[in-house]
C-alpha cells in the first residue's frame, strides 16, 4: 500500500470515528429502567418557582434589617442588598409592596 493510500485510509477512519462520536454525544441517554406508564415523562429544562417563599424571605430580611436599625441606630451599618427574582414573581412582589424598581 502506498503512503498516499495509507494516509487516505487513516483520514477516512478518523472521519468515521468523529461521526460516530458526535452521534453518540447527541443521542438520548440510555436507561435500564423502562418508563412507568403511570408516570408521565419528566419535562427537561423547566423549574418550579415558589414566589410566595421568595416574597416571604424578602419580607423577613427587610423586617430584620429594620429591627437592627431601630435597636442600634448609632452603629451606622447601612446594608443594601440587590435581590434578583424570576419575572414570574413580579405580581406577587408588587401585591405585597416589595417591588421597588
Amino acid at each position: 500500500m502506498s503512503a498516499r493510500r495509507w494516509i487516505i485510509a487513516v483520514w477516512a477512519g478518523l472521519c468515521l470515528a468523529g461521526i460516530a462520536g458526535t452521534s453518540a454525544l447527541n443521542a438520548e441517554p440510555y436507561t435500564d429502567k423502562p418508563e412507568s406508564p403511570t408516570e408521565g415523562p419528566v419535562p427537561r429544562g423547566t423549574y418550579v418557582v415558589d414566589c410566595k417563599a421568595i416574597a416571604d424571605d424578602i419580607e423577613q430580611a427587610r423586617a430584620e434589617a429594620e429591627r437592627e436599625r431601630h435597636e442600634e441606630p448609632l452603629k451606622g451599618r447601612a446594608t443594601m442588598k440587590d435581590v434578583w427574582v424570576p419575572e414570574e414573581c413580579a405580581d406577587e412582589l408588587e401585591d405585597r409592596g416589595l417591588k421597588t424598581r
Side-chain angles (χ1 to χ4, degrees):
M1 184 183 242
S2 71
R4 178 177 267 169
R5 287 187 183 193
W6 186 81
I7 291 172
I8 292 172
V10 169
W11 176 78
L14 290 174
C15 287
L16 290 174
I19 291 170
T22 302
S23 175
L25 290 173
N26 290 336
E28 289 291 322
Y30 176 76
T31 58
D32 290 335
K33 299 177 185 177
E35 287 190 33
S36 172
T38 58
E39 295 178 19
V42 177
R44 296 178 187 214
T46 60
Y47 59 95
V48 177
V49 178
D50 189 1
C51 295
K52 290 183 181 184
I54 292 172
D56 289 341
D57 290 343
I58 293 172
E59 280 183 337
Q60 183 180 4
R62 284 188 178 181
E64 188 175 311
E66 187 68 25
R67 185 175 55 248
E68 286 179 4
R69 195 179 70 145
H70 284 294
E71 288 175 359
E72 303 174 14
L74 300 177
K75 200 161 191 177
R77 286 189 317 195
T79 57
M80 184 175 278
K81 187 190 269 187
D82 283 337
V83 179
W84 294 88
V85 297
E87 286 185 36
E88 295 88 10
C89 297
D91 292 337
E92 179 73 27
L93 295 175
E94 197 168 334
D95 291 345
R96 292 190 185 195
L98 298 174
K99 190 173 179 183
T100 58
R101 291 186 205 173

